[in-house]
Amino acid sequence: MKGIISLNNFSFRYSDKYILKNINIEIEEGQCVGILGKNGSGKTTLINCIIGELRGEGNISVLNTIPNIHSIEFKSNIGIVLDNDILIDYLTLNEYLNFIGQLFKLEKVQIEKSIKYWLKYFDLEEQRYRIIKFFSHGMRKKVQIIVALMHNPKIIIVDEPTNGLDIEMIYLFKNVILDLKKKGITIVISTHILSFVEDVCDEVIIINDGVINNIFSISSINEQKLENIFIEQINRDGD
Ligand code: ADP
C-alpha cells in the first residue's frame, strides 16, 4: 500500500552530481520517522524534496499529490520546521501569529484559539505583545514550532530541530513530538541526536552519500544501541 509519503526510484541532482540516488521510502500515516546520516549525506536535500522545494527524478507523492511548497493547499496539510529562522523581527508575536493564521485562511476564532493554546503550551503568554527581534534563540524556535502547528497539519517535517537548543528545550521539543504522535500526526525528523530518535521515533532511515543505507523500526533493535548500529552501517559503507 502506498504511504502518506512515498518515494519510488527517486533521485535528485545538482547539474550532473547526484545528491539522492534511487530512494525508496514508504511512510505510513501516524508514523514518526527519524532520518539519520552524516553531514552532507543528503538529509536536508531529501526533506526539501519531500516538502516540494526541490524537484527530482522518479516518483514522489505526499498526501497523494506531488509536493509543492508554493501551493497553499499543499502547505495547509503540512507543518515545516527548518533549521533556518525566518521570522519577521519587527512584528509582535501576536501580529506574526495572526498573519500566519490569515495566510492559512484560518477563521479569526480559530486563530485566537490556536494562539492561546500554543502560547500557554510553550509558556509564551507574557511575550504575546513583544517584538520578536528581542526573543532568545529558544523562544524563536518555539515560535517556529507554533507556526508549523497552528493550522493543524497532517504531517510535520522537522530538519535539525535541536540545533543550538539547551537541554530543557530539547526535552520540551521531545514532548511536543510525543504529543503530536498521540494525535496521529505523521512526523519526519532529521537529527544528529540519536537518543532523540530512540525516544520518539518508530522507524529510522539511515542515509549515506545520497543512498538509503537501511530502514528499520526502533522496536527491532532490542537492546542494541542505535549509536552502534549507525556507526557500523556508516563504516560498512566506507569499506
Ligand atoms: P545533510 O543535510 O545530510 O548535511 P545536504 O542535503 O545538505 O546534506 O547536502 C548533501 C550534498 O548536497 C552535499 O554534498 C552538499 O554539498 C550538496 N549540496 C547541497 N546544496 C547544494 C547546492 N545548492 N548545489 C550543489 N550541491 C549542493
Side-chain angles (χ1 to χ4, degrees):
M1 205 182 81
K2 204 165 126 184
I4 192 168
I5 298 173
S6 171
L7 289 87
N8 193 251
N9 289 331
F10 182 85
S11 300
F12 175 84
R13 63 187 159 108
Y14 283 114
S15 46
D16 59 350
K17 187 184 175 212
Y18 274 92
I19 307 296
L20 300 175
K21 300 160 206 158
N22 228 5
I23 302 282
N24 291 294
I25 297 174
E26 296 295 330
I27 298 176
E28 305 300 330
E29 194 172 349
Q31 271 190 329
C32 180
V33 176
I35 303 175
L36 295 177
K38 291 190 285 193
N39 283 339
S41 58
K43 300 182 297 298
T44 300
T45 307
L46 178 59
I47 281 186
N48 284 330
C49 290
I50 291 174
I51 65 175
E53 188 171 333
L54 297 174
R55 290 285 169 95
E57 302 158 19
N59 298 316
I60 182 164
S61 88
V62 176
L63 286 156
N64 283 318
T65 176
I66 296 172
N68 178 7
I69 193 80
H70 302 293
S71 150
I72 261 293
E73 199 189 333
F74 177 72
K75 266 194 294 206
S76 67
N77 283 316
I78 57 168
I80 307 168
V81 184
L82 297 181
D83 195 18
N84 53 10
D85 170 353
I86 41 160
L87 306 177
I88 304 176
D89 272 356
Y90 284 96
L91 292 185
T92 64
L93 180 55
N94 182 59
E95 287 166 341
Y96 186 60
L97 295 180
N98 270 285
F99 167 69
I100 296 292
Q102 284 164 28
L103 209 67
F104 282 109
K105 300 189 170 34
L106 303 182
E107 301 282 333
K108 243 183 161 176
V109 270
Q110 202 185 342
I111 295 175
E112 182 57 25
K113 201 173 147 201
S114 188
I115 291 176
K116 278 208 172 116
Y117 176 83
W118 287 112
L119 294 192
K120 188 164 195 294
Y121 187 103
F122 283 116
D123 196 21
L124 284 175
E125 286 160 304
E126 285 180 17
Q127 313 301 328
R128 183 163 177 169
Y129 299 100
R130 284 189 69 215
I131 284 176
I132 292 174
K133 184 178 167 58
F134 301 113
F135 284 14
S136 67
H137 180 68
M139 279 155 66
R140 295 176 78 93
K141 196 65 175 186
K142 287 178 179 177
V143 178
Q144 270 185 282
I145 300 166
I146 294 174
V147 167
L149 297 176
M150 268 186 89
H151 56 293
N152 289 322
K154 296 187 176 117
I155 300 175
I156 304 284
I157 315 270
V158 194
D159 194 14
E160 303 286 359
T162 48
N163 274 359
L165 297 185
D166 63 20
I167 292 166
E168 192 188 9
M169 259 305 287
I170 294 175
Y171 177 78
L172 177 67
F173 194 67
K174 204 188 299 186
N175 282 311
V176 174
I177 300 292
L178 292 172
D179 280 350
L180 295 174
K181 273 182 78 169
K182 279 186 211 144
K183 292 183 183 169
I185 293 171
T186 309
I187 304 159
V188 179
I189 308 172
S190 137
T191 179
H192 286 298
I193 303 199
L194 300 179
S195 62
F196 193 95
V197 173
E198 282 172 323
D199 289 349
V200 304
C201 293
D202 308 307
E203 295 268 320
V204 181
I205 295 173
I206 297 184
I207 182 167
N208 201 17
D209 198 17
V211 176
I212 300 273
N213 195 290
N214 202 351
I215 302 182
F216 53 90
S217 67
I218 281 287
S219 60
S220 72
I221 65 177
N222 300 321
E223 259 100 80
Q224 271 181 290
K225 283 198 88 176
L226 186 55
E227 189 178 42
N228 296 341
I229 295 173
F230 179 72
I231 296 293
E232 192 191 306
Q233 296 267 331
I234 297 300
N235 288 335
R236 194 196 302 158
D237 245 44
D239 288 346

